[in-house]
Amino acid sequence: MNYSELPLNENLKKGLEEAGYVTCTPVQEKVLEASLDGSDLYVQSQTGTGKTAAFLVSIMQELLSRGEGEKSNALILVPTRELAVQVEEEAKKLGKYTGLSFAAFFGGVGYEKQIADLKNGIDIIIGTPGRVIDLQESRHMDLSRVAHLVTDEADRMFDMGFYPDLRKLIKVLPSSENRQTMLFSATLNMNVKNLAYEYTKDPKEITIEAQNITVDEIDQELIHVSSEKKLNLLLSILAKENPESLIIFCNTKKTCEILSKRLALNGIQSEFIIGDLPQKKRQKIMDNFKAGKIRILVATDVAARGIDVNDLAMVVNYDLPNEAENYVHRIGRTARAGKSGKAYTFCSEQDVYSLMPIERYIEKSIPSRVAIDEDYAEDKSDGIYIRLDGDEDRDRHGRRGERRILSRDRERDGGRRERKSSKKSPRREAVGTGRTSDEEIEKLASMTSDERLAYFKSKYAKNGAAEADSTQKRKRKPKSQKKRSAESGGKKPSRQMQSQQRKATNKNISRNPQKGTKRAEAKSSKRIGLIGKIRAFFSKK
């Protein structure tokens, strides 16, 4: 079916035509046929089938059909920041001539611009659950007018622990009778189904056939290789294939960073994207990769959510994913829109346990072979220590957050690094040097070890002199302290002298028992008086 055959708004059709949308994909055709009458949907569709355009077109058509004065809007929930940005870009492209407003709301950036956008009014709100909840609870975002709710990548949201947030948000939205709800998931998940039937009204279920889980256009190959030879195998593949665009998937953030830096030592430029990177840097890397300025991207599964790149030539599974569904998500990044692609998967002695669940899930065996000597290339980074970003912020126990002064040349001071903690050291506390300013830290960072030693010696000497001068300006001592000082020769009595004084006091009490009896009677009367008050209070009750 073509988009021209659908009963859509003319301005929306103009945007679809300019964006190159002519023929509907299977999921787009089924969603538009079922949703344009306002029905709730539960859609199971894999990544890369065009489901983003499916729900955007449906929502835009419904909003453009609003009556005069009606102020309803739509909310689209996504699991990651990158996916939020991707959906916003797609919405602006398709709705270019509709006059509708769109904005993405996610963490990692400031609130000022997002709050300003909300004040101007937004027709389609796209956001991650955490930031949407923050803005709603601070009363900057009004969700009482949401007439259309879309939850994209619902299965990923459950994996990432967003289920409580989803339930919390749905409770503040209008009831299911007063809104249209559409849930999209790449895999059939009972949790998602329960959510669909709990917060929807008579939902229609749309399911893409199981045989479409992995497309035939992807040339898949699994290579058995030992863990220490993975990089050698990757270097050889990159030299032979020389792909125009490539995503390398790793299971951990640390592996991504190490691999990217080892590739650089081998003369291969790449960028890595992980959840710990600042949002501005992540977005810049994503934009450069989509624009073709970056050829190789190393990423984790979560960070790769929202990567929608046309003509991606190759995908490499450096680590076999722990979840079978993630294998489909990974290789689905290539061979989009019916185009061909290639996917290599490395299977080491650590990854082999994940292989059987993956082949059971895709209902076929991945073509495999064992790596031989000819498949390996020389690794120039072998034996070189890789320093991760943020290592300078860690102490020997792995703790972060303390300020440190690092030598620019580690070999110059024997491989040691000096640090200055934000906490006062005993030496600084003794001379009262106080906190070290940022300007002083920058100055010290450019010094050698000998220069820093001389600097601190002179500083301590000055502070010591200042401490000596300040002793003359101390406050007057109380009379009791003056008397004690006079008796002890101007000094604080020693422990031995204090002990002797206590013994003498006790001896005087024993010689004068009447004095000790009076003290005991006073304590006893106080205790009896308190008990009497408590009893009187409860007797009144």
Side-chain angles (χ1 to χ4, degrees), residues 115-134:
I115 292 173
D117 289 339
L118 290 171
K119 288 180 180 178
N120 296 330
I122 302 296
D123 292 309
I124 298 181
I125 299 170
I126 307 151
T128 55
R131 180 53 64 94
V132 172
I133 288 175
D134 288 345

Side-chain angles (χ1 to χ4, degrees), residues 219-241 243 246-251 255 259 263 296 298 314-322 327 330-331 342-356 358-359 366-372 375-377:
D219 182 12
Q220 304 175 57
E221 185 176 9
L222 185 139
I223 305 175
H224 293 277
V225 58
S226 62
S227 299
E228 62 269 13
K229 289 290 185 180
K230 278 186 177 182
L231 182 54
N232 303 81
L233 178 60
L234 177 62
L235 293 171
S236 176
I237 291 174
L238 294 179
K240 293 176 184 177
E241 300 281 351
L246 165 68
I247 298 180
I248 304 172
F249 286 100
C250 303
N251 287 348
T255 306
L259 180 58
L263 287 173
I296 299 175
V298 187
M314 185 185 296
V315 167
V316 173
N317 294 311
Y318 194 80
D319 298 320
L320 212 60
N322 297 322
Y327 178 81
R330 289 181 178 186
I331 68 172
K342 195 157 190 176
Y344 284 100
T345 301
F346 297 168
C347 184
S348 68
E349 66 279 3
Q350 299 173 356
D351 303 310
V352 71
Y353 300 102
S354 303
L355 179 58
M356 189 179 294
I358 291 173
E359 292 185 334
I366 305 172
S368 62
R369 64 183 179 88
V370 178
I372 58 177
D375 293 326
Y376 300 131

Side-chain angles (χ1 to χ4, degrees), residues 9-21 56-57 60 64 87-102 123-124:
N9 182 280
E10 291 300 323
N11 291 327
L12 180 55
K13 283 186 177 180
K14 187 178 179 181
L16 287 165
E17 184 179 353
E18 187 174 305
Y21 285 83
L56 283 175
V57 172
M60 289 181 191
L64 291 170
V87 174
E88 182 190 17
E89 292 174 352
E90 190 75 6
K92 288 180 178 178
K93 185 168 60 175
L94 299 180
K96 184 177 180 180
Y97 302 102
T98 60
L100 298 173
S101 56
F102 322 94
D123 292 309
I124 298 181

